[in-house]
PDB file of all heavy atoms in Angstrom:
ATOM      1  N   VAL A 586      98.367 109.070  84.440  1.00 96.00           N
ATOM      2  CA  VAL A 586      97.764 108.102  83.503  1.00 96.00           C
ATOM      3  C   VAL A 586      98.859 107.044  83.206  1.00 96.00           C
ATOM      4  O   VAL A 586      99.621 107.213  82.269  1.00 96.00           O
ATOM      5  CB  VAL A 586      97.287 108.699  82.138  1.00 96.00           C
ATOM      6  CG1 VAL A 586      96.531 107.647  81.346  1.00 96.00           C
ATOM      7  CG2 VAL A 586      96.294 109.835  82.476  1.00 96.00           C
ATOM      8  N   SER A 587      98.972 105.992  84.040  1.00 96.00           N
ATOM      9  CA  SER A 587      99.984 105.123  84.064  1.00 96.00           C
ATOM     10  C   SER A 587      99.559 103.872  83.313  1.00 96.00           C
ATOM     11  O   SER A 587      98.358 103.529  83.246  1.00 96.00           O
ATOM     12  CB  SER A 587     100.445 104.777  85.515  1.00 96.00           C
ATOM     13  OG  SER A 587     100.855 105.892  86.146  1.00 96.00           O
ATOM     14  N   ARG A 588     100.513 103.098  82.749  1.00 97.00           N
ATOM     15  CA  ARG A 588     100.241 101.810  82.160  1.00 97.00           C
ATOM     16  C   ARG A 588     101.119 100.729  82.620  1.00 97.00           C
ATOM     17  O   ARG A 588     100.924  99.966  83.450  1.00 97.00           O
ATOM     18  CB  ARG A 588     100.266 102.003  80.563  1.00 97.00           C
ATOM     19  CG  ARG A 588      99.171 102.918  79.942  1.00 97.00           C
ATOM     20  CD  ARG A 588      97.813 102.249  80.234  1.00 97.00           C
ATOM     21  NE  ARG A 588      96.712 103.084  79.603  1.00 97.00           N
ATOM     22  CZ  ARG A 588      95.952 103.911  80.259  1.00 97.00           C
ATOM     23  NH1 ARG A 588      96.088 104.060  81.617  1.00 97.00           N
ATOM     24  NH2 ARG A 588      94.965 104.534  79.654  1.00 97.00           N
ATOM     25  N   GLY A 589     102.362 100.619  81.933  1.00 97.00           N
ATOM     26  CA  GLY A 589     103.317  99.551  82.295  1.00 97.00           C
ATOM     27  C   GLY A 589     104.061  99.803  83.525  1.00 97.00           C
ATOM     28  O   GLY A 589     104.217 100.881  84.057  1.00 97.00           O
ATOM     29  N   MET A 590     104.443  98.688  84.226  1.00 97.00           N
ATOM     30  CA  MET A 590     105.311  98.801  85.446  1.00 97.00           C
ATOM     31  C   MET A 590     106.086  97.562  85.655  1.00 97.00           C
ATOM     32  O   MET A 590     105.591  96.487  85.385  1.00 97.00           O
ATOM     33  CB  MET A 590     104.374  99.123  86.671  1.00 97.00           C
ATOM     34  CG  MET A 590     105.165  99.363  87.961  1.00 97.00           C
ATOM     35  SD  MET A 590     105.613  97.872  88.860  1.00 97.00           S
ATOM     36  CE  MET A 590     104.057  97.237  89.303  1.00 97.00           C
ATOM     37  N   ALA A 591     107.343  97.699  86.004  1.00 98.00           N
ATOM     38  CA  ALA A 591     108.224  96.505  86.188  1.00 98.00           C
ATOM     39  C   ALA A 591     109.196  96.833  87.319  1.00 98.00           C
ATOM     40  O   ALA A 591     109.612  97.960  87.497  1.00 98.00           O
ATOM     41  CB  ALA A 591     108.910  96.121  84.987  1.00 98.00           C
ATOM     42  N   VAL A 592     109.734  95.784  88.085  1.00 98.00           N
ATOM     43  CA  VAL A 592     110.649  95.939  89.154  1.00 98.00           C
ATOM     44  C   VAL A 592     111.933  95.342  88.835  1.00 98.00           C
ATOM     45  O   VAL A 592     112.052  94.319  88.090  1.00 98.00           O
ATOM     46  CB  VAL A 592     110.049  95.453  90.479  1.00 98.00           C
ATOM     47  CG1 VAL A 592     108.805  96.123  90.795  1.00 98.00           C
ATOM     48  CG2 VAL A 592     109.920  93.921  90.444  1.00 98.00           C
ATOM     49  N   SER A 593     113.088  95.896  89.395  1.00 97.00           N
ATOM     50  CA  SER A 593     114.468  95.337  89.205  1.00 97.00           C
ATOM     51  C   SER A 593     115.296  95.990  90.203  1.00 97.00           C
ATOM     52  O   SER A 593     115.160  97.126  90.574  1.00 97.00           O
ATOM     53  CB  SER A 593     114.900  95.648  87.765  1.00 97.00           C
ATOM     54  OG  SER A 593     116.341  95.396  87.710  1.00 97.00           O
ATOM     55  N   ASP A 594     116.286  95.172  90.657  1.00 97.00           N
ATOM     56  CA  ASP A 594     117.313  95.741  91.446  1.00 97.00           C
ATOM     57  C   ASP A 594     118.448  96.351  90.536  1.00 97.00           C
ATOM     58  O   ASP A 594     119.508  95.763  90.355  1.00 97.00           O
ATOM     59  CB  ASP A 594     117.932  94.675  92.422  1.00 97.00           C
ATOM     60  CG  ASP A 594     119.083  95.165  93.262  1.00 97.00           C
ATOM     61  OD1 ASP A 594     119.217  96.416  93.407  1.00 97.00           O
ATOM     62  OD2 ASP A 594     119.747  94.398  93.919  1.00 97.00           O
ATOM     63  N   TYR A 595     118.082  97.336  89.896  1.00 96.00           N
ATOM     64  CA  TYR A 595     118.916  97.888  88.791  1.00 96.00           C
ATOM     65  C   TYR A 595     120.282  98.356  89.289  1.00 96.00           C
ATOM     66  O   TYR A 595     121.320  98.379  88.547  1.00 96.00           O
ATOM     67  CB  TYR A 595     118.287  99.025  87.987  1.00 96.00           C
ATOM     68  CG  TYR A 595     118.306 100.396  88.697  1.00 96.00           C
ATOM     69  CD1 TYR A 595     119.329 101.310  88.301  1.00 96.00           C
ATOM     70  CD2 TYR A 595     117.470 100.767  89.782  1.00 96.00           C
ATOM     71  CE1 TYR A 595     119.421 102.485  88.956  1.00 96.00           C
ATOM     72  CE2 TYR A 595     117.525 101.966  90.362  1.00 96.00           C
ATOM     73  CZ  TYR A 595     118.542 102.846  89.993  1.00 96.00           C
ATOM     74  OH  TYR A 595     118.708 104.090  90.648  1.00 96.00           O
ATOM     75  N   ASP A 596     120.398  98.817  90.548  1.00 95.00           N
ATOM     76  CA  ASP A 596     121.543  99.254  91.121  1.00 95.00           C
ATOM     77  C   ASP A 596     122.346  98.354  92.033  1.00 95.00           C
ATOM     78  O   ASP A 596     123.333  98.703  92.662  1.00 95.00           O
ATOM     79  CB  ASP A 596     121.341 100.659  91.974  1.00 95.00           C
ATOM     80  CG  ASP A 596     120.242 100.515  92.943  1.00 95.00           C
ATOM     81  OD1 ASP A 596     119.749  99.365  93.112  1.00 95.00           O
ATOM     82  OD2 ASP A 596     119.897 101.427  93.517  1.00 95.00           O
ATOM     83  N   LEU A 597     121.870  97.150  92.013  1.00 94.00           N
ATOM     84  CA  LEU A 597     122.506  95.997  92.689  1.00 94.00           C
ATOM     85  C   LEU A 597     122.815  96.252  94.215  1.00 94.00           C
ATOM     86  O   LEU A 597     123.809  95.928  94.774  1.00 94.00           O
ATOM     87  CB  LEU A 597     123.867  95.531  92.025  1.00 94.00           C
ATOM     88  CG  LEU A 597     123.694  95.116  90.546  1.00 94.00           C
ATOM     89  CD1 LEU A 597     125.081  94.778  90.015  1.00 94.00           C
ATOM     90  CD2 LEU A 597     122.736  93.964  90.447  1.00 94.00           C
TER      91      LEU A 597
END
Side-chain angles (χ1 to χ4, degrees):
V586 182
S587 303
R588 292 297 185 259
M590 188 273 294
V592 301
S593 168
D594 181 11
Y595 81 96
D596 50 5
L597 299 181

